[in-house]
Amino acid sequence: MIHSLFLINSSGDIFLEKHWKSVVSRSVCDYFFEAQERASEAENVPPVIPTPHHYLLSVYRHKIFFVAVIQSEVPPLFVIEFLHRVVDTFQDYFGVCSEVIIKDNVVVVYEVLEEMLDNGFPLATESNILKELIKPPTILRTVVNTITGSTNVGDQLPTGQLSVVPWRRTGVKYTNNEAYFDVIEEIDAIIDKSGSTITAEIQGVIDACVKLTGMPDLTLSFMNPRLLDDVSFHPCVRFKRWESERILSFIPPDGNFRLLSYHVSAQNLVAIPVYVKHNISFRDSSSLGRFEITVGPKQTMGKTVEGVMVTSQMPKSVLNMTLTPSQGTHVFDPVTKLLSWDVGKINPQKLPSLKGSVSLQAGTSKPDENPTINLQFKIQQLAISGLKVNRLDMYGEKYKPFKGIKYMTKAGKFQVRT
Amino acid sequence: MTDSKYFTTTKKGEIFELKAELNSDKKEKKKEARGCARPSPSSLCSSALFPDVVNCMQTDNLELKKLVYLYLMNYAKSQPDMAIMAVNTFVKDCEDPNPLIRALAVRTMGCIRVDKITEYLCEPLRKCLKDEDPYVRKTAAVCVAKLHDINAQLVEDQGFLDTLKDLISDSNPMVVANAVAALSEIAESHPSSNLLDLNPQSINKLLTALNECTEWGQIFILDCLANYMPKDDREAQSICERVTPRLSHANSAVVLSAVKVLMKFMEMLSKDLDYYGTLLKKLAPPLVTLLSAEPELQYVALRNINLIVQKRPEILKHEMKVFFVKYNDPIYVKLEKLDIMIRLASQANIAQVLAELKEYATEVDVDFVRKAVRAIGRCAIKVEQSAERCVSTLLDLIQTKVNYVVQEAIVVIKDIFRKYPNKYESVIATLCENLDSLDEPEARAAMIWIVGEYAERIDNADELLESFLEGFHDESTQVQLQLLTAIVKLFLKKPTETQELVQQVLSLATQDSDNPDLRDRGYIYWRLLSTDPVAAKEVVLAEKPLISEETDLIEPTLLDELICYIGTLASVYHKPPSAFVEGSRGVVHKNLPPRTGSSESAESPDTAPSGGPAADQPSVIPTQGDLLGDLLNLDLGPPVSGPPVATSFVQMGAVDLLGGGLDSLLRSDVGGSPAMGGSGGSFTPAPSTTAPTNVGAPLGSGLGDLFDLTGGVGTLSGSYVAPKTVWLPAMKAKGLEISGTFSRQVGSISMDLVLTNKALQVMSDFAIQFNRNSFGLAPAAPLQVHAPLAPNQSVEISLPLNTVGSVMKMEPLNNLQVAVKNNIDVFYFSTLYPLHILFVEDGKMDAVSSKLQGSNIFTIAKRNVEGQDMLYQSLKLTNGIWVLAELRIQPSNPSFTLSLKCRAPEVSQYIYQAYETILKN
């Protein structure tokens, strides 16, 4: 089971350690530092590092390494999943997860970690339950605590854990009963030089914010459930009903949670909502290159593409770029060689473009690699897979809740090769 | 922030204030307890408050109680004596009417890692394990694991393990999950115990609990299920059906554990079954989904998918695209994806794959680019139809002139030549253009190999090789060896114009180099060329076997084993768990995994099958050493077959232990020296049939028989010693005859020899040496023959042995190869030593059977079951192998049955033989 946890910042300082069993010496992290040194970038530190007596499993998020120490054969995915859960919890508690905020809230952090694991066994990892046990810090509470001397430790015990629905606390009360569902889809795609799709897939999630009194029992049905052949559910979803009727039936946790995540695989045809026309060339003879990209909408089902952002990692030999955008702003960082262009909305009548020249280091041969273009965008009110919620019903409670559903499509890892 | 304020400002002087406040009114207490509860550099100060904090424990205020508990967990260790003060409160809280308080108390109790107070905690824990409230039981289950970590013996003595086992059939799923988790953890440190013994009923319980417990509980239950062995395909299918829904879980660890169970039990299902096909289809989507998770999860998933793809390529054969690399994937993900892409490459998708690989070859990351180029080569070797395409892709890449790409391409083109000889040699010209840019040894060696291999088609091959020769001394060994071979090849193909070159390289290799490999190879070529050029041609230019793509696959038995370890660290390293250290406990663990993919149970099967030698991998005995590396080369000596007695040992092992027929046969075989003195089959006291050769030898005559247990063995300390037998007949050793036996006396092993000179000349200068053997037997002193041995004279020597020599596993295990030297020659022979000479004195557990005890086999217990005497015995070998035996004796029946239990099944066969010889004499 999980023995200890070390939090390490990018400069290699251990700024927090927590042991659930006997204390493991900090020196075990030396093996991690070695691996960190070998890796060119922080992202490339291998997630599993063996040491003579322990194994170090790490995740890298928010510029912090969360390093778990285990001593025996433990499923590594279990540890990594748990670490991600820790990060999510911190984020949930403090809004952001950074070294400063963790140091500022060190007591809450310790209390939360203590509640999350018992002797290395996960105890309470649902943020609903945790928040009941240890209240997240707010400005108001901080002030109150200072004056009254009370603490964040809830005077409650985990009552939810006694029930058959451990994810929902009992005795929930709201004056406005509401249930919102967001269908968010991300397109991961690789587009080749000529504009044809090499691979494209959709990662979709349904995030819910449910604030309903009592013990409501919800059912959610889809217009086209056939799309969902690869799904992962929140534990509250009754799998049997999904298998037989393709209906999501569940008693929701209180507050925010991820009801469902799904994957529309590469075998289905995925609509690509934007295209990029590019003309990037470096000439062998001169130290100048040409650079021109245009972004335009493709299959958007009549919706506007907004929040468009183009980034591209230029080859090392690029010294500078002189570019003019037809809209938006662009930045080229000559140190990291990263070009980013904040485009904004795409107007189909007047396509945004970025043109100009590239100056190369004199004397070097033309770069071997062509830069890959990374694209970000958002389309509101559209689920690109075509998924549509049919209806939402509530049983078990008398009142009439307010229901809402939103759709959004985003770019995930959307790459255009040039 | 108030929180931090309390510690940062807590200075020595303030402790007193805190102390005062702790003892004052309630509200204040909370604040201070909070200050103390935080583990921080100020811990010194905080622990000074220990007694005051403990006083606060007996509060009704829940919030304060929690804080005090938190404080205790952090500081009890530094004040073990003080911690005892807290015990009373724990005991009291464990009886609180509120189940949540009971649970909190039992949880905190276990976290106080102070050995002193553990025994006080047993009673409350026992109560909590049987608590009516599931929440308390579930917490108590974990507490057993905690306690076991601190004091394992206590947990066993108190019978908590059995209680924990009972909890597996608890009505509450959460309790079941925690019990399973606790048991799995305890089992880690107790590889031998069958803690998780599963039967269909408990499996049913687990499957029911699976649906209702938390995601983490599901992981433990699934991992536990994977160790179960269904009795038939029906049961396997029903388990699969109930596990399948877990594939849709949001937690990737649950998904992967479910995949493991399914992959394992699928082995048992018939392939014609509809369900089998359905299951295969169901496995693909969740695996693909794992790849859209965070990179760290992706990495672990990819390592596992790599195994799955090798075992069942059909699952993911249509999913090639998800393994395409994104440019901002971390490098560890990129490399794994590439590996899987090659494994999935087939005729159907090769075009796509090649286009991708070519794209990757222009990326920035050097390691990744290299691997991509290699991958192209592997595709060519794997998919024959694509070879041409791959070669042209590689040529394109060579045109880029990027140094490391070119070098890598040349290395793989060499492999392509070896797979498809005489097909793509037209590209050699292009390769030769890049000769100068090669600076890595592997690429240079590959290029030299190509030039040498195709010397007849390259007009200026001699010039090319000559250019390499100039810097011969600066090259790495790999290149030097390759250059030597290439030039010899060239010479054999074009003898006329390259004579000078070959002489040059041979002299460089043999005279100027101090590398023995190079020198030896040089000499061999030289001698071959000078004695028989035709033979040289046959040797050097021999047809080479084609290489195949299977070279990088994991060996099937290992793969089957690893499939059972999906989702564990073993699957990340692609090594069985026994191959890497199991944490600080250093337990040799799961070291004898069963063979087939279908019949394994990851539970450590440390019980060796009692019949026959087990064919499993060696575990304790070091693996077979490299025979070539042995400079003594004893095993290449004249094949002196083992003496008759030795062979009979082996034969007897195979037959019923006291089968009489063989003995009589043997006796005539041995010719006058009835080695197995026991008169075949009967238990009448055997006459002391000592052989003529052992007259005067200091041995306790092995005449004790089974019914004469107490007085059987003549000497006090001596174990049974077999009569001497002829090891080296005179006719094979130019007149020297050696006969001997092995004995063990007072802890030391000796080899009792009789050397007889049957030649006509005087012998002197005796020396003896052993080859490496299974137990590291070696002479402890030189062979002392003081006077020269005159013709027809014999001398008796007792050569002391020790077991510190170098170790190599022999076949049979007790084989010993010996070299004896005298002034005439060196003679080799091999003999089999009875294993009981290795039984050490401290293998004793109890004394009942003194006969066996004489040979250091100790009886632990004696029981009479249904008229049969059962002896439970133990013995220990010099290298620490313990063997447990059960000997069943029927009074009316001369035969007896022996069952062994040992972690190294190899020895069992020889233990049988040892028993046999001891009991029969």
Side-chain angles (χ1 to χ4, degrees):
Chain A
M1 304 299 130
I2 300 170
H3 224 94
S4 304
L5 173 73
F6 293 96
L7 265 57
I8 298 172
N9 63 17
S10 38
S11 52
D13 299 323
I14 304 170
F15 65 91
L16 190 127
E17 58 184 293
K18 165 81 192 156
H19 306 277
W20 283 279
K21 294 180 160 189
S22 52
V23 175
V24 177
S25 152
R26 271 174 181 235
S27 60
V28 77
C29 291
D30 293 349
Y31 295 95
F32 179 82
F33 296 137
E34 261 171 45
Q36 195 182 7
E37 227 158 79
R38 269 198 301 276
S40 51
E41 281 163 65
E43 286 83 6
N44 289 342
V45 178
V48 184
I49 300 167
T51 78
H53 297 293
H54 302 88
Y55 294 90
L56 306 178
L57 289 108
S58 62
V59 304
Y60 181 68
R61 281 178 71 182
H62 306 289
K63 300 204 167 20
I64 301 170
F65 288 101
F66 294 78
V67 184
V69 182
I70 58 173
Q71 215 170 33
S72 52
E73 176 72 271
V74 176
L77 273 188
F78 152 72
V79 181
I80 295 175
E81 273 278 355
F82 176 79
L83 290 176
H84 281 296
R85 211 61 68 84
V86 169
V87 185
D88 293 343
T89 310
F90 287 171
Q91 212 167 358
D92 200 31
Y93 260 77
F94 312 122
V96 283
C97 177
S98 67
E99 189 185 346
V100 178
I101 207 100
I102 289 176
K103 279 181 172 165
D104 280 350
N105 293 287
V106 74
V107 175
V108 178
V109 167
Y110 271 110
E111 284 164 354
V112 167
L113 288 177
E114 188 60 53
E115 286 299 331
M116 287 183 90
L117 281 188
D118 178 15
N119 195 40
F121 293 97
L123 201 63
T125 51
E126 284 280 334
S127 105
N128 284 319
I129 293 164
L130 277 173
K131 280 187 175 165
E132 215 179 302
L133 295 172
I134 297 145
K135 297 188 189 85
T138 60
I139 296 174
L140 180 67
R141 190 164 299 124
T142 313
V143 175
V144 173
N145 286 354
T146 321
I147 297 165
T148 63
S150 65
T151 64
N152 286 346
V153 174
D155 52 4
Q156 296 217 358
L157 284 158
T159 44
Q161 297 195 0
L162 294 176
S163 76
V164 280
V165 276
W167 55 85
R168 189 174 178 88
R169 63 191 169 99
T170 45
V172 185
K173 267 214 173 87
Y174 289 101
T175 39
N176 295 325
N177 289 296
E178 5 174 68
Y180 298 107
F181 293 88
D182 294 349
V183 180
I184 303 166
E185 296 192 339
E186 289 191 359
I187 308 178
D188 288 352
I190 304 176
I191 312 286
D192 76 357
K193 283 187 187 50
S194 57
S196 49
T197 312
I198 292 177
T199 145
E201 47 188 357
I202 297 171
Q203 314 290 351
V205 294
I206 300 183
D207 281 342
C209 175
V210 177
K211 295 181 171 170
L212 297 174
T213 308
M215 273 286 170
D217 197 334
L218 303 180
T219 56
L220 188 72
S221 64
F222 298 96
M223 305 278 269
N224 37 12
R226 269 184 314 120
L227 279 171
L228 303 175
D229 63 342
D230 180 5
V231 284
S232 316
F233 297 116
H234 189 275
C236 69
V237 176
R238 298 184 180 101
F239 191 75
K240 285 241 168 67
R241 284 203 69 187
W242 171 256
E243 284 272 272
S244 55
E245 303 166 56
R246 298 275 137 177
I247 284 176
L248 294 181
S249 157
F250 55 97
I251 295 173
D254 185 44
N256 295 311
F257 65 99
R258 176 156 294 173
L259 176 65
L260 163 75
S261 55
Y262 58 95
H263 175 93
V264 179
S265 70
Q267 281 162 51
N268 298 34
L269 269 183
V270 174
I272 301 292
V274 288
Y275 70 88
V276 177
K277 243 172 48 187
H278 52 85
N279 186 357
I280 304 170
S281 58
F282 307 107
R283 263 157 293 164
D284 240 341
S285 48
S286 78
S287 58
L288 273 184
R290 227 154 39 108
F291 185 94
E292 182 179 345
I293 46 177
T294 311
V295 188
K298 217 170 165 186
Q299 295 156 290
T300 61
M301 329 280 169
K303 303 281 198 292
T304 349
V305 184
E306 46 186 27
V308 180
M309 176 93 172
V310 177
T311 49
S312 181
Q313 182 71 48
M314 289 292 147
K316 284 197 189 68
S317 51
V318 172
L319 273 188
N320 211 344
M321 304 180 86
T322 325
L323 303 170
T324 2
S326 69
Q327 71 176 72
T329 52
H330 80 284
V331 186
F332 175 72
D333 184 338
V335 181
T336 58
K337 315 285 181 199
L338 188 73
L339 170 72
S340 50
W341 173 30
D342 189 351
V343 184
K345 235 179 235 174
I346 297 183
N347 178 359
Q349 270 72 51
K350 197 175 153 290
L351 295 179
S353 64
L354 182 69
K355 285 182 208 173
S357 62
V358 185
S359 57
L360 297 170
Q361 213 163 351
T364 52
S365 59
K366 92 181 170 99
D368 311 313
E369 71 268 18
N370 255 343
T372 302
I373 297 170
N374 219 9
L375 212 59
Q376 280 168 358
F377 55 82
K378 256 193 264 180
I379 307 169
Q380 302 282 3
Q381 294 311 320
L382 174 73
I384 197 89
S385 67
L387 187 75
K388 267 213 157 64
V389 172
N390 185 18
R391 53 181 299 141
L392 175 71
D393 297 304
M394 190 187 75
Y395 304 94
E397 296 287 337
K398 290 272 174 342
Y399 56 87
K400 262 213 140 64
F402 185 80
K403 301 176 275 193
I405 189 129
K406 256 192 347 194
Y407 299 91
M408 179 151 80
T409 298
K410 288 199 286 194
K413 286 183 171 175
F414 196 101
Q415 307 184 346
V416 181
R417 291 176 182 162
T418 63
Chain B
M1 296 258 107
T2 46
D3 307 340
S4 43
K5 197 190 90 195
Y6 278 117
F7 331 111
T8 47
T9 59
T10 304
K11 296 193 190 81
K12 273 266 161 188
E14 289 173 40
I15 289 180
F16 300 102
E17 279 175 47
L18 282 172
K19 221 174 192 156
E21 285 179 69
L22 274 169
N23 293 319
S24 70
D25 68 309
K26 232 178 182 176
K27 261 217 172 88
E28 282 303 305
K29 274 184 196 169
K30 278 192 230 164
K31 184 161 76 179
E32 303 320 327
R34 178 161 185 66
C36 305
R38 184 219 172 199
S40 71
S42 63
S43 61
L44 213 98
C45 322
S46 290
S47 56
L49 297 171
F50 203 97
D52 306 283
V53 175
V54 170
N55 279 338
C56 297
M57 260 179 106
Q58 289 154 356
T59 171
D60 296 330
N61 183 313
L62 204 51
E63 190 184 345
L64 183 57
K65 203 182 241 339
K66 281 172 87 174
L67 286 168
V68 173
Y69 277 0
L70 200 61
Y71 172 88
L72 275 176
M73 281 187 226
N74 286 321
Y75 295 116
K77 191 122 206 199
S78 57
Q79 309 237 336
D81 295 322
M82 294 291 200
I84 293 183
M85 292 172 20
V87 168
N88 267 337
T89 323
F90 281 128
V91 175
K92 219 171 90 198
D93 280 353
C94 281
E95 314 217 328
D96 197 278
N98 185 345
L100 297 164
I101 299 220
R102 293 202 296 274
L104 190 61
V106 83
R107 182 183 154 206
T108 315
M109 239 162 59
C111 294
I112 300 179
R113 306 180 57 87
V114 177
D115 206 11
K116 264 190 182 172
I117 70 164
T118 45
E119 52 191 290
Y120 296 99
L121 303 179
C122 291
E123 275 322 301
L125 178 58
R126 197 188 316 281
K127 233 174 255 164
C128 287
L129 278 169
K130 302 231 162 89
D131 201 281
E132 56 182 17
D133 193 284
Y135 185 69
V136 181
R137 290 203 299 276
K138 141 187 148 139
T139 317
V142 179
C143 190
V144 175
K146 292 179 193 170
L147 208 56
H148 187 271
D149 198 25
I150 305 166
N151 190 344
Q153 196 55 46
L154 183 77
V155 170
E156 278 162 49
D157 295 345
Q158 295 280 331
F160 283 137
L161 294 183
D162 291 322
T163 324
L164 209 50
K165 276 191 222 167
D166 294 341
L167 285 184
I168 292 190
S169 357
D170 198 277
S171 56
N172 186 296
M174 303 292 295
V175 178
V176 177
N178 276 17
V180 169
L183 279 173
S184 322
E185 182 170 290
I186 294 171
E188 282 274 327
S189 56
H190 271 261
S192 53
S193 57
N194 290 330
L195 281 177
L196 284 166
D197 237 353
L198 298 173
N199 53 43
Q201 284 79 39
S202 53
I203 285 292
N204 206 13
K205 285 275 183 197
L206 288 182
L207 285 168
T208 315
L210 184 61
N211 288 325
E212 294 167 37
C213 65
T214 66
E215 48 195 317
W216 314 109
Q218 292 182 13
I219 300 170
F220 297 125
I221 293 183
L222 284 168
D223 284 345
C224 177
L225 276 178
N227 294 337
Y228 177 64
M229 175 69 207
K231 58 180 190 300
D232 54 20
D233 54 338
R234 270 253 196 77
E235 194 185 1
Q237 180 173 345
S238 84
I239 294 176
C240 285
E241 277 164 3
R242 295 177 71 177
V243 166
T244 320
R246 297 302 122 210
L247 291 176
S248 302
H249 203 284
N251 186 318
S252 57
V254 176
V255 175
L256 203 57
S257 291
V259 169
K260 162 164 62 183
V261 175
L262 295 176
M263 282 294 287
K264 228 186 109 170
F265 291 178
M266 241 163 101
E267 287 285 295
M268 297 189 70
L269 302 178
S270 141
K271 291 203 171 166
D272 327 317
L273 219 60
D274 283 347
Y275 182 70
Y276 182 84
T278 323
L279 203 53
L280 274 186
K281 272 195 211 111
K282 278 191 175 164
L283 276 171
L287 289 174
V288 171
T289 306
L290 289 179
L291 295 181
S292 54
E294 285 82 0
E296 298 90 2
L297 297 171
Q298 275 187 50
Y299 170 75
V300 177
L302 283 165
R303 291 295 285 174
N304 282 287
I305 288 174
N306 200 329
L307 293 174
I308 295 169
V309 162
Q310 288 183 55
K311 180 74 187 163
R312 295 188 188 281
E314 62 269 30
I315 294 177
L316 287 167
K317 66 178 175 213
H318 299 302
E319 303 288 349
M320 172 61 94
K321 280 182 175 176
V322 298
F323 299 104
F324 284 180
V325 172
K326 299 191 173 92
Y327 85 95
N328 47 3
D329 282 335
I331 182 75
Y332 55 82
V333 169
K334 281 183 176 174
L335 296 177
E336 286 307 315
K337 280 188 173 175
L338 205 53
D339 220 33
I340 296 172
M341 277 173 72
I342 301 161
R343 297 208 193 284
L344 286 176
S346 67
Q347 208 181 334
N349 56 24
I350 191 73
Q352 253 185 342
V353 174
L354 269 183
E356 278 297 303
L357 291 175
K358 199 175 168 187
E359 193 72 41
Y360 303 158
T362 61
E363 283 218 24
V364 203
D365 194 298
V366 177
D367 281 345
F368 180 58
V369 170
R370 283 171 180 274
K371 191 149 186 190
V373 176
R374 286 221 173 193
I376 297 176
R378 275 165 74 185
C379 284
I381 290 163
K382 183 164 183 198
V383 186
E384 187 161 0
Q385 294 81 356
S386 75
E388 191 143 2
R389 257 226 205 68
C390 295
V391 172
S392 75
T393 309
L394 287 170
L395 284 180
D396 286 352
L397 289 173
I398 289 177
Q399 298 306 343
T400 62
K401 303 276 178 199
V402 179
N403 188 286
Y404 53 85
V405 175
V406 174
Q407 308 211 33
E408 212 62 39
I410 285 177
V411 172
V412 295
I413 285 180
K414 177 203 76 180
D415 288 342
I416 295 176
F417 283 166
R418 288 203 55 192
K419 169 78 179 179
Y420 309 108
N422 305 318
K423 231 172 152 184
Y424 301 108
E425 281 70 21
S426 51
V427 307
I428 290 176
T430 324
L431 302 186
C432 291
E433 287 165 23
N434 292 289
L435 215 58
D436 303 329
S437 63
L438 307 179
D439 52 11
E440 287 162 28
E442 199 181 356
R444 285 175 83 88
M447 192 63 220
I448 293 168
W449 183 86
I450 293 172
V451 174
E453 189 68 18
Y454 299 100
E456 69 272 27
R457 309 187 195 196
I458 306 170
D459 296 333
N460 58 343
D462 46 345
E463 283 169 38
L464 294 175
L465 292 177
E466 202 170 356
S467 69
F468 280 109
L469 203 55
E470 280 159 20
F472 189 78
H473 291 298
D474 304 327
E475 299 283 3
S476 71
T477 314
Q478 188 187 11
V479 180
Q480 288 176 334
L481 286 169
Q482 205 54 259
L483 195 55
L484 174 62
T485 310
I487 291 178
V488 172
K489 280 184 194 163
L490 175 71
F491 172 72
L492 290 168
K493 286 174 178 173
K494 301 180 181 174
T496 43
E497 59 255 60
T498 55
Q499 206 148 8
E500 208 171 295
L501 194 61
V502 83
Q503 270 169 5
Q504 202 182 338
V505 77
L506 285 176
S507 73
L508 275 173
T510 53
Q511 287 160 26
D512 298 350
S513 168
D514 47 10
N515 180 326
D517 282 350
L518 189 65
R519 231 167 28 211
D520 286 358
R521 197 186 280 197
Y523 279 128
I524 290 173
Y525 283 147
W526 201 322
R527 211 166 268 193
L528 265 175
L529 290 175
S530 58
T531 49
D532 190 355
V534 182
K537 208 159 188 163
E538 272 168 29
V539 171
V540 179
L541 302 179
E543 194 91 354
K544 278 164 281 298
L546 298 183
I547 58 172
S548 77
E549 90 276 13
E550 308 301 334
T551 42
D552 60 349
L553 292 181
I554 295 175
E555 189 240 334
T557 47
L558 176 61
L559 180 63
D560 281 348
E561 193 193 336
L562 286 176
I563 288 289
C564 323
Y565 287 110
I566 284 177
T568 66
L569 285 170
S571 69
V572 174
Y573 291 112
H574 290 188
K575 280 180 199 158
S578 50
F580 49 91
V581 187
E582 278 284 300
S584 62
R585 287 187 183 127
V587 186
V588 187
H589 181 228
K590 298 178 183 175
N591 50 356
L592 290 178
R595 316 295 295 177
T596 59
S598 61
S599 66
E600 71 284 273
S601 61
E603 241 339 280
S604 56
D606 65 327
T607 45
S610 50
D616 267 318
Q617 305 104 305
S619 53
V620 183
I621 313 275
T623 46
Q624 191 107 32
D626 183 9
L627 283 173
L628 284 176
D630 185 6
L631 287 175
L632 257 177
N633 260 345
L634 281 167
D635 44 342
L636 297 180
V640 180
S641 60
V645 170
T647 40
S648 73
F649 270 84
V650 179
Q651 288 167 359
M652 302 262 312
V655 206
D656 187 35
L657 277 176
L658 287 177
L662 199 69
D663 280 38
S664 48
L665 266 177
L666 268 175
R667 199 169 304 169
S668 55
D669 258 353
V670 174
S673 78
M676 309 295 181
S679 46
S682 79
F683 273 92
T684 50
S688 126
T689 47
T690 34
T693 39
N694 71 354
V695 177
L699 30 108
S701 49
L703 71 167
D705 91 274
L706 204 64
F707 290 132
D708 190 13
L709 289 173
T710 45
V713 178
T715 52
L716 276 170
S717 56
S719 59
Y720 163 68
V721 179
K724 289 197 177 106
T725 48
V726 177
W727 283 343
L728 185 67
M731 53 202 271
K732 284 192 172 161
K734 300 183 183 167
L736 175 68
E737 190 189 73
I738 300 178
S739 55
T741 186
F742 293 92
S743 66
R744 181 181 186 98
Q745 270 169 341
V746 208
S748 59
I749 309 166
S750 56
M751 188 184 197
D752 301 314
L753 295 165
V754 177
L755 307 179
T756 312
N757 184 354
K758 295 200 172 169
L760 294 172
Q761 63 185 111
V762 176
M763 291 178 178
S764 60
D765 302 322
F766 286 94
I768 192 163
Q769 213 160 4
F770 293 177
N771 193 8
R772 289 194 282 165
N773 54 70
S774 313
F775 293 92
L777 277 177
L783 192 63
Q784 301 275 345
V785 182
H786 297 294
L789 202 58
N792 272 329
Q793 203 187 347
S794 56
V795 61
E796 277 186 33
I797 303 149
S798 181
L799 178 70
L801 305 183
N802 57 27
T803 52
V804 296
S806 43
V807 172
M808 178 176 72
K809 195 187 164 201
M810 299 298 293
E811 198 52 54
L813 199 67
N814 57 347
N815 192 10
L816 179 68
Q817 296 172 329
V818 184
V820 173
K821 193 201 96 175
N822 62 9
N823 58 337
I824 300 169
D825 204 341
V826 182
F827 309 104
Y828 302 95
F829 63 92
S830 69
T831 177
L832 300 179
Y833 46 89
L835 211 57
H836 69 74
I837 61 162
L838 303 171
F839 298 174
V840 292
E841 277 68 25
D842 60 348
K844 172 171 180 169
M845 284 189 179
D846 193 359
V848 170
S849 168
S850 60
K851 175 168 184 176
L852 289 164
Q853 192 179 343
S855 298
N856 294 335
I857 300 174
F858 301 100
T859 303
I860 310 162
K862 187 176 177 178
R863 232 195 298 172
N864 193 294
V865 180
E866 293 162 1
Q868 299 176 343
D869 274 313
M870 309 279 271
L871 289 179
Y872 295 91
Q873 295 169 318
S874 67
L875 57 99
K876 185 179 162 193
L877 298 186
T878 44
N879 56 353
I881 302 179
W882 277 98
V883 181
L884 300 179
E886 181 199 63
L887 192 65
R888 176 186 304 216
I889 309 154
Q890 282 166 298
S892 55
N893 191 337
S895 74
F896 53 87
T897 321
L898 181 64
S899 313
L900 294 183
K901 198 170 180 172
C902 174
R903 302 189 64 168
E906 292 98 318
V907 301
S908 55
Q909 185 193 354
Y910 308 96
I911 303 282
Y912 286 132
Q913 292 165 16
Y915 257 92
E916 190 179 359
T917 44
I918 297 164
L919 289 175
K920 286 181 70 183
N921 290 284

